[in-house]
Amino acid sequence: MRLVGLNSIKVVIVLLALTSISLSPTYFLLTTFALNSSEPEKSTTNRARSIIMLGSESSSSSSNVQSSVPVTPPRSLDPGLTSVASAISDTPRSTKGDLGAFAQHKIRSEIAEQMAPELLRCPINAFFSHYSPFNPDNDLVDSAVSALKKKNHLTSTGNWRPGTFASITEPPAKATSKKASEKTPDASEHESEAVVFGKLTKIIKDMVPQGGNNDDRTRRFFYTDCGNKVVEGDISGGGFKPDAFVLRNEYTGGKITLSDAAVVAEFKNSNDPEVTRDNRLKIISAASHIMNNDPCRMWTYGISIEKDMMSVWYFSRSHSMKTDGFNWIEDPWTFVKVFVSFLFAKELEIGFDPSVRRVTYRTKERFIYEIKAEGGTRYYRTINPIFNPRVACITGRKTRVWEAEEVRLIDGSLANVQVVETGKRVALKDVWLDEGSQTERQIQKAIFDKLKQVRDEDYEWATEGYLRPLIKEALTDFPRNLPFMQIECDGWGKETRERHAEAVADPAIIPAKNLESSASQSAMHTRKKSTMSRPSGASNRPNSVSSRPRYGFRDYIVKKQYRLVYSSVGYALHDAKDLSTSFKAIEDVFIALVLLFLAGWVHRDVSTGNIIIVTVHGRTRGLLSDLEYAREFNRTGENVIDPKMGTPFFMPVEIHQGSKLKFVAQDLPVDLETHLPGSPTESLNSVLVSQDGHTSKPIFFFHHDLESLTWIGFWVALGKVEYGGSSEVFSWLFTNDLTPDAFRINFFKGLHREYVSNAFHPDLRTKLFPGLLGSVHVMLYKLCHSLPDAPVKQDFYSLYGKTSKYFHKLATVADEVNDKVKLNPPPLDPLSASREQPLANDNDKGTSNGQKKGTRGKGKADAVQTSVRSQELSTSRKRKGSEPQRMSMRLRKRPNTD
């Protein structure tokens, strides 16, 4: 198959220039849709320009811009997929993107659609015995019921006072016995929804009078009707209007502090399916925002009422659960028990984390983390948020990363602390891991123990002039010179509740939507035609995440808090400001992968978010982080199955498509016969011819890590460099979808090289491709074909030896042209002006404070901005004001039928 000629490409480029619609691909990547946006969101916590990106999930930015980088999102079990008994116990990734600064009430459907498969249903009795903060005994409930009887809310028989909720229990009178004009109006039938449910404020206040005690059960939480108040929080995207909250502090007027919200409630006086759907979307999206908003929350609760049916919700990082509905009009006793379980709960029981305390320090809100580390408890006070994305799904890892400083308590009080070492900054990572999984520190220790055993003869295969000295240097002064992030301390925290035996998946929890799609919703799924002729084999699908919920059997593994402190703070590769730094970091991480190879481990998640640029001992270098998914290379069993691992932009083709490459002989472009490793005239025909037509599941091997690093090189050269001619090719090579674009697959096989070559900046076209990046990817493709079914380490010696000189040359060339080739800057950091600097004397008292006093995000975003599934990297974006939302995800293990 031959490609469109170079002259045709030039014509297209000229046309694009004449119409002034060609924009840098990174401009597309670094910004988000701004269609019909009347007022930009102001993000106060989601930092677009990360100081360090170490975790999962993507990072959002302020205003209408977002970082382009596809970072490591959360891992979670794949809904709808059964476990594979014969598989190695890997934890696959989930398809979750960053919500950015979009207003929560504008994206309810998107949030609910992503969360639907993680929602379970159980009987109300199972909730009380297993999920509620505590299971109130009958005496405590009876005492509350007695209080309501005394206040004349309940009759002596325990029923609601007649007429209290008549507009719910009695259907509107029909004009069958009388003419409508002759009817005597009943005021209760005309009560508004606000009036009907507004009665609950007095009822709930009277059921457990303030100060009432029952052993150690003192009222600690308070119900408040929100009326028509707009509720915001610490992060962008607030602005929704819940019907009611159960709060930590009694509401006395003014703003409602979202960080105090223990339970969110939504009420409807109708049980129409569409009304029910809307009510539940509100509950789910509000809970999602609460969990994103507050690092002090381990789980949260919700209450929904649709006419006479009431349900209670539990939302956690392992799974979320809704009770079967019960008739709260006919069963006031159970209604009272629900509220007693919330109002008399302790903070730990209702989901507030005792190991994270919100404080105010020098007029700025901070958090103090308590880490029970080896050797004793340590405390860290946050300085700035580094990585805190708004993710749709509550279930998952929910990684947060902070710039922090270690403090010690004075007199045992969190309100009076002292900085341990003035000016020293660390990176604190807060994440939820599957119970029983290995921690990053455990994995790093296992790798380092292997590296301690490496001897000179173990890398005699390395090229003597370049690679061998670098390996020797890295292993000298162990572990000081290793190109990995150094861990200072770590520790476990609390865990979620396990799934109750009676909790089952139920798609009907969110009723199907029967209304026709609105124009704006339809627009989110529309892909306009490209202005550039698309090569054969490049699909027309959007560069997006397909996130239709899938239901079926899955495990709901208990999640446990894990906190990790890195001894240095840097910034992610995707935030590098120049070409030289970028490729020098890539070269350093190549050495890290060589060391992993010597230790017998594969990383399985090499991405721009896991390459951290730091200055250590006066030297700027790239360090490899996030080893949580690394695995020892002993994977040759016939039944071993790998899930799709990594970040889609940089995922190896075989892993991304879920099957080994099928090699078919085909006509090759002339330019494929040059710039190959070995002889300049070596042909790829031998590589492209398959021994048989069989394809099978791929296993993650050493060369896959190198392929990810190569894709990062292409990403920098085509996506970060300021050059408008690379946008089309970039969008075809890089996708966040469940499978790679056909263009990427064919390019990896050796096709479309002329397209890719012409997409490079003119000063990079001959220097970086095809002679360097092209050569590496050809070698990797050739190895995919020639590798035996059960490879050993010796099968990779030649690959590492040959590619080392190419990665070194890439760094050298990047340094040579650094002044000629500019990179697009990271998105504007809204907090850069107020970013705190090291202080000469940073010891001071911090005020423990449960309430937010800082600035809150404001503004609106149109629903057309909100589709997590449909943001594209296409030429339809090539008009001013139409910029895509960045998408990031990890991909999950698929069923055996794949």
Side-chain angles (χ1 to χ4, degrees):
M1 175 177 62
R2 294 219 172 247
L3 302 176
V4 177
L6 182 58
N7 290 334
S8 299
I9 299 295
K10 291 180 178 178
V11 170
V12 172
I13 295 175
V14 169
L15 289 174
L16 292 175
L18 290 175
T19 54
S20 300
I21 59 174
S22 179
L23 298 175
S24 165
T26 308
Y27 171 75
F28 303 144
L29 290 168
L30 297 182
T31 51
T32 186
F33 275 118
L35 297 176
N36 303 320
S37 178
S38 59
E39 188 177 349
E41 292 281 335
K42 297 178 181 178
S43 171
T44 59
T45 60
N46 291 345
R47 298 180 61 96
R49 183 172 57 206
S50 359
I51 302 169
I52 181 173
M53 289 286 187
L54 299 176
S56 57
E57 296 114 337
S58 54
S59 170
S60 69
S61 73
S62 73
S63 205
N64 287 322
V65 294
Q66 274 189 301
S67 173
S68 64
V69 290
V71 296
T72 50
R75 72 176 174 178
S76 72
L77 293 172
D78 190 352
L81 304 182
T82 57
S83 60
V84 182
S86 59
I88 297 295
S89 63
D90 291 316
T91 306
R93 317 300 175 84
S94 63
T95 323
K96 302 175 185 177
D98 192 339
L99 301 178
F102 305 137
Q104 196 82 359
H105 65 284
K106 298 282 188 177
I107 52 177
R108 289 172 185 149
S109 293
E110 289 291 339
I111 294 170
E113 182 173 286
Q114 290 202 42
M115 280 190 59
E118 71 189 48
L119 295 174
L120 302 176
R121 176 180 52 79
C122 77
I124 186 65
N125 289 336
F127 170 82
F128 285 127
S129 65
H130 188 72
Y131 290 106
S132 67
F134 78 104
N135 191 0
D137 59 37
N138 291 345
D139 289 342
L140 182 56
V141 180
D142 287 340
S143 67
V145 170
S146 296
L148 293 181
K149 291 179 180 179
K150 291 179 181 179
K151 295 290 185 177
N152 201 30
H153 297 297
L154 293 176
T155 66
S156 60
T157 58
N159 297 315
W160 296 113
R161 179 176 57 83
T164 304
F165 299 110
S167 60
I168 291 179
T169 58
E170 299 176 8
K174 298 180 180 179
T176 53
S177 59
K178 292 183 179 181
K179 294 181 181 179
S181 60
E182 297 175 354
K183 288 178 57 180
T184 301
D186 185 343
S188 65
E189 294 180 3
H190 302 283
E191 289 179 335
S192 68
E193 191 172 87
V195 171
V196 173
F197 293 106
K199 298 174 183 180
L200 295 181
T201 301
K202 178 67 173 171
I203 291 172
I204 295 170
K205 183 177 181 179
D206 289 344
M207 74 165 60
V208 275
Q210 188 172 359
N213 292 296
N214 182 280
D215 296 330
D216 64 339
R217 290 293 171 185
T218 302
R219 180 174 181 174
R220 296 177 175 87
F221 292 90
F222 305 86
Y223 175 88
T224 183
D225 190 313
C226 295
N228 201 35
K229 296 179 181 67
V230 174
V231 178
E232 296 175 343
D234 305 333
I235 63 174
S236 297
F240 52 96
K241 300 177 182 180
D243 289 323
F245 276 126
V246 173
L247 301 173
R248 279 197 293 188
N249 297 297
E250 190 166 13
Y251 178 69
T252 56
K255 290 185 177 180
I256 293 177
T257 304
L258 192 60
S259 58
D260 275 350
V263 185
V264 61
E266 292 287 352
F267 309 135
K268 295 291 184 184
N269 58 6
S270 169
N271 57 6
D272 179 85
E274 292 176 6
V275 173
T276 298
R277 172 184 170 85
D278 179 69
N279 204 43
R280 295 179 183 179
L281 294 185
K282 289 178 179 179
I283 280 285
I284 293 168
S285 63
S288 171
H289 195 74
I290 290 170
M291 295 293 282
N292 277 318
N293 179 79
D294 192 3
C296 302
R297 302 309 301 269
M298 299 180 294
W299 51 81
T300 193
Y301 292 94
I303 296 172
S304 62
I305 293 178
E306 291 101 26
K307 198 175 181 180
D308 56 355
M309 299 304 291
M310 177 176 175
S311 298
V312 191
W313 303 69
Y314 163 82
F315 300 94
S316 80
R317 298 299 177 193
S318 61
H319 66 284
S320 297
M321 195 283 312
K322 171 193 168 296
T323 67
D324 294 332
F326 69 92
N327 193 313
W328 67 282
I329 299 294
E330 298 178 356
D331 187 4
W333 196 90
T334 301
F335 172 90
V336 171
K337 185 173 182 178
V338 167
F339 279 97
V340 168
S341 73
F342 291 141
L343 300 178
F344 278 84
K346 299 175 182 178
E347 288 200 355
L348 172 63
E349 295 171 333
I350 211 166
F352 289 95
D353 188 349
S355 66
V356 185
R357 175 67 64 83
R358 184 184 297 262
V359 299
T360 299
Y361 172 65
R362 295 191 174 183
T363 71
K364 186 177 180 181
E365 189 169 85
R366 312 289 188 87
F367 299 92
I368 294 180
Y369 278 80
E370 174 186 318
I371 299 179
K372 297 186 182 301
E374 184 178 347
T377 301
R378 301 172 72 168
Y379 298 88
Y380 291 87
R381 182 171 60 193
T382 64
I383 298 173
N384 285 300
I386 292 174
F387 181 65
N388 186 20
R390 284 180 64 208
V391 291
C393 295
I394 294 175
T395 296
R397 293 167 33 123
K398 184 46 188 174
T399 302
R400 291 181 171 95
V401 183
W402 304 90
E403 182 184 11
E405 58 190 352
E406 186 173 9
V407 296
R408 64 172 63 94
L409 307 188
I410 299 176
D411 300 327
S413 172
L414 287 172
N416 191 7
V417 300
Q418 184 180 48
V419 176
V420 172
E421 184 177 345
T422 301
K424 181 184 178 182
R425 301 295 193 248
V426 298
L428 188 155
K429 181 178 178 179
D430 179 10
V431 64
W432 290 82
L433 299 181
D434 289 344
E435 185 180 46
S437 62
Q438 280 193 305
T439 68
E440 185 168 351
R441 186 169 197 175
Q442 289 172 328
I443 293 173
Q444 187 182 85
K445 182 181 183 302
I447 293 171
F448 285 8
D449 287 345
K450 289 282 188 179
L451 289 176
K452 289 178 183 177
Q453 303 172 20
V454 172
R455 300 293 178 261
D456 291 350
E457 54 269 23
D458 294 327
Y459 52 92
E460 286 181 347
W461 50 266
T463 52
E464 188 172 354
Y466 166 68
L467 183 56
R468 198 179 304 175
L470 290 179
I471 296 174
K472 193 173 188 67
E473 178 187 3
L475 294 174
T476 304
D477 194 13
F478 193 94
R480 179 187 176 98
N481 289 337
L482 293 178
F484 300 96
M485 290 292 291
Q486 301 296 311
I487 297 173
E488 183 170 290
C489 71
D490 68 339
W492 290 102
K494 301 295 182 181
E495 62 186 30
T496 62
R497 289 176 171 85
E498 64 181 354
R499 173 190 178 184
H500 191 274
E502 295 183 65
V504 296
D506 183 3
I509 289 175
I510 303 176
K513 184 173 183 179
N514 297 321
L515 296 175
E516 294 182 2
S517 298
S518 65
S520 61
Q521 290 170 328
S522 299
M524 291 191 296
H525 300 276
T526 301
R527 179 181 176 88
K528 297 180 180 180
K529 292 183 178 180
S530 170
T531 59
M532 180 177 177
S533 176
R534 193 167 174 82
S536 175
S539 68
N540 289 317
R541 68 181 181 191
N543 189 349
S544 63
V545 175
S546 176
S547 58
R548 298 299 305 172
R550 293 174 293 171
Y551 298 88
F553 297 104
R554 58 171 279 188
D555 296 322
Y556 295 87
I557 298 177
V558 170
K559 287 282 197 299
K560 194 170 183 178
Q561 292 169 328
Y562 176 64
R563 278 73 186 257
L564 173 73
V565 177
Y566 292 99
S567 58
S568 57
V569 180
Y571 59 91
L573 171 64
H574 44 245
D575 289 328
K577 296 179 177 61
D578 61 79
L579 196 70
S580 178
T581 301
S582 299
F583 278 100
K584 181 61 177 68
I586 290 174
E587 180 186 18
D588 289 339
V589 170
F590 171 77
I591 301 302
L593 294 181
V594 172
L595 294 175
L596 283 178
F597 171 68
L598 291 173
W601 283 69
V602 286
H603 187 278
R604 302 197 301 172
D605 189 19
V606 179
S607 70
T608 59
N610 293 333
I611 298 176
I612 310 303
I613 300 172
V614 300
T615 300
V616 182
H617 311 303
R619 174 187 171 191
T620 299
R621 57 193 307 210
L623 303 181
L624 187 61
S625 71
D626 199 355
L627 300 173
E628 291 166 345
Y629 304 104
R631 180 168 292 283
E632 195 167 6
F633 182 76
N634 52 1
R635 325 277 316 278
T636 56
E638 291 183 2
N639 293 325
V640 171
I641 298 175
D642 260 329
K644 292 186 177 184
M645 278 288 178
T647 305
F649 269 31
F650 315 120
M651 197 178 293
V653 169
E654 286 188 329
I655 304 300
H656 198 177
Q657 71 178 7
S659 62
K660 291 184 179 179
L661 287 168
K662 183 177 181 180
F663 305 91
V664 180
Q666 50 191 296
D667 296 330
L668 299 177
V670 175
D671 71 330
L672 274 179
E673 298 180 3
T674 60
H675 305 295
L676 299 175
S679 170
T681 60
E682 181 182 353
S683 173
L684 266 183
N685 281 295
S686 60
V687 180
L688 294 173
V689 178
S690 174
Q691 298 297 320
D692 55 55
H694 177 69
T695 60
S696 58
K697 295 285 182 181
I699 298 174
F700 208 108
F701 289 138
F702 298 111
H703 65 291
H704 290 129
D705 278 339
L706 288 182
E707 185 184 337
S708 292
L709 194 61
T710 305
W711 287 122
I712 291 174
F714 279 106
W715 182 87
V716 171
L718 295 174
K720 282 285 287 181
V721 169
E722 285 186 354
Y723 179 60
S726 56
S727 59
E728 289 288 349
V729 167
F730 184 93
S731 69
W732 299 335
L733 282 178
F734 295 96
T735 177
N736 279 309
D737 216 334
L738 293 169
T739 54
D741 194 290
F743 182 91
R744 177 167 172 144
I745 298 173
N746 288 331
F747 172 68
F748 188 66
K749 291 182 177 181
L751 304 177
H752 306 325
R753 288 170 66 91
E754 186 177 352
Y755 267 91
V756 176
S757 177
N758 284 304
F760 273 74
H761 187 286
D763 288 318
L764 301 177
R765 194 165 296 159
T766 58
K767 294 184 177 181
L768 289 188
F769 182 87
L772 297 176
L773 283 174
S775 296
V776 174
H777 111 266
V778 165
M779 280 189 285
L780 290 167
Y781 178 72
K782 186 174 183 178
L783 185 67
C784 288
H785 168 70
S786 60
L787 203 64
D789 291 336
V792 294
K793 289 181 67 172
Q794 288 82 349
D795 294 319
F796 300 92
Y797 286 168
S798 176
L799 175 68
Y800 281 94
K802 289 181 179 180
T803 55
S804 64
K805 62 181 180 180
Y806 287 110
F807 282 106
H808 176 61
K809 185 64 176 175
L810 284 171
T812 302
V813 169
D815 192 52
E816 293 172 354
V817 300
N818 192 57
D819 294 335
K820 299 180 181 179
V821 179
K822 302 301 180 183
L823 299 189
N824 288 288
L828 177 65
D829 183 353
L831 300 179
S832 59
S834 61
R835 178 170 170 73
E836 188 160 320
Q837 301 299 322
L839 303 171
N841 184 2
D842 204 23
N843 294 329
D844 202 351
K845 293 182 179 181
T847 302
S848 178
N849 189 352
Q851 294 192 6
K852 168 68 179 172
K853 297 182 179 180
T855 304
R856 302 182 190 276
K858 297 180 180 179
K860 297 180 180 179
D862 192 85
V864 74
Q865 300 171 312
T866 66
S867 175
V868 175
R869 304 186 309 274
S870 305
Q871 308 304 332
E872 304 177 1
L873 287 175
S874 71
T875 50
S876 65
R877 300 167 176 161
K878 292 186 174 180
R879 62 182 176 88
K880 295 180 180 179
S882 177
E883 307 95 16
Q885 175 185 351
R886 182 191 66 175
M887 291 300 306
S888 298
M889 59 177 274
R890 296 193 189 252
L891 300 179
R892 307 166 179 168
K893 181 163 48 182
R894 290 191 165 191
N896 294 330
T897 55
D898 254 14

